[in-house]
Amino acid sequence: MKRVLTKDGSETLYSEDYKETYHSVTGAVEESFEKYVKPCKIKAGMRVLDICFGLGLNSLAALHTAKEISITALEKDRNVLSQEVKVPEHLREDYKKIRTAAENLCYKDDKAEIKVLVGDARETIKQLNEKYDAVFLDPFSPPKNPELWTEEFFREIKKRMKKGAILATYSCARKVRSNLSKAGFEVKDGPCVGRRSPSTIAIA
Ligand SMILES: C[S@@+](CC[C@H](N)C(=O)[O-])C[C@H]1O[C@@H](n2cnc3c(N)ncnc32)[C@H](O)[C@@H]1O
């Protein structure tokens, strides 16, 4: 996997398998805060489901924002879990916790708990019995990673969300939004960050 320095100074990776970067090249860390953490209104005490943990930057932004938080992360690729990237100085302490979670598949202290379930998210999600306050949905693009953008998968996600909980995703593709609506979500524009089109928020 090739390293890519993004415009906010944080690094991401380029996937040879999917022929896409793991984050927007306009800013990997910026994307995590602006497209995921802020639209989901992450705050202390929340239970977050991070679908497609990857390098863990979305979880990092959530942990840094809330401090006291419970995160369940789904990721199929063990190789990406072993990859470390450069993050801004002010996030380095929290990034150590994310690295521990990625390497040991769990991290726990008196405030934060992170669990990583390795496997296809369509299967691992079925192991979850809890209800979540927020969901980050960050697969590769719909044409490259279609299995995680279906109505069927969105229904599985919604079953595990509290009423009124928010799902955030970067895609505003028409098909993605219509599948979210068919699965019972209320769909709205999310913020425009690093491009003209908005991201998407879906309310359970
Ligand atoms: C765009 S990257 C996610 C970036 C990540 N949120 C981060 O902060 O680094 C997409 C991730 O989805 C994972 N993925 C793709 N298909 C999957 C599947 N069916 N189940 C679980 N994870 C999957 C890939 O391995 C990759 O790590």
Side-chain angles (χ1 to χ4, degrees), residues 4 38 50 65 67 82 92 149 151 161 163 178 181:
V4 179
K38 287 190 187 166
D50 181 5
T65 301
K67 304 293 179 213
S82 66
R92 289 203 188 131
W149 299 102
E151 178 189 339
M161 293 171 71
K163 180 106 190 94
S178 89
S181 296

Side-chain angles (χ1 to χ4, degrees), residues 22-23 52-55 57-58 75-76 120-121 138 145 147:
Y22 278 68
H23 300 90
C52 295
F53 179 83
L55 298 164
L57 298 190
N58 294 345
E75 172 55 54
K76 74 167 181 189
D120 189 323
D138 194 12
N145 212 172
E147 76 274 15

Side-chain angles (χ1 to χ4, degrees), residues 10-181:
S10 59
E11 278 182 340
T12 188
L13 296 180
Y14 176 79
S15 164
E16 292 294 347
D17 291 341
Y18 289 91
K19 308 277 180 244
E20 285 183 7
T21 51
Y22 278 68
H23 300 90
S24 161
V25 290
T26 60
V29 158
E30 175 193 62
E31 181 173 46
S32 296
F33 281 99
E34 301 298 328
K35 288 191 192 158
Y36 293 93
V37 167
K38 287 190 187 166
C40 283
K41 303 184 177 125
I42 296 298
K43 59 177 192 298
M46 276 190 165
R47 198 181 282 282
V48 176
L49 177 58
D50 181 5
I51 303 176
C52 295
F53 179 83
L55 298 164
L57 298 190
N58 294 345
S59 284
L60 169 62
L63 174 67
H64 185 74
T65 301
K67 304 293 179 213
E68 201 178 316
I69 195 161
S70 163
I71 301 174
T72 302
L74 310 183
E75 172 55 54
K76 74 167 181 189
D77 182 7
R78 278 193 181 268
N79 187 27
V80 73
L81 297 175
S82 66
Q83 304 290 321
E84 206 162 317
V85 288
K86 198 170 94 185
V87 299
E89 173 74 40
H90 68 285
L91 298 176
R92 289 203 188 131
E93 273 310 302
D94 287 323
Y95 188 53
K96 285 184 197 159
K97 300 173 189 173
I98 295 294
R99 289 304 314 140
T100 302
E103 277 159 20
N104 303 342
L105 306 183
C106 64
Y107 170 84
K108 191 168 167 45
D109 63 24
D110 54 341
K111 291 194 173 147
E113 179 167 19
I114 306 168
K115 282 182 284 184
V116 182
L117 302 186
V118 180
D120 189 323
R122 290 170 298 175
E123 295 306 320
T124 51
I125 198 167
K126 294 183 183 153
Q127 298 171 21
L128 306 179
N129 304 314
E130 296 156 322
K131 294 250 181 189
Y132 294 87
D133 299 292
V135 176
F136 303 154
L137 178 68
D138 194 12
F140 290 109
S141 66
K144 301 272 175 73
N145 212 172
E147 76 274 15
L148 298 187
W149 299 102
T150 63
E151 178 189 339
E152 188 188 355
F153 186 57
F154 293 161
R155 284 187 187 280
E156 291 297 329
I157 297 173
K158 188 165 175 287
K159 273 187 219 165
R160 291 161 179 89
M161 293 171 71
K162 294 181 187 167
K163 180 106 190 94
I166 297 173
L167 173 151
T169 187
Y170 67 87
S171 176
C172 65
R174 196 178 308 161
K175 184 72 183 158
V176 168
R177 288 188 170 193
S178 89
N179 284 348
L180 283 165
S181 296

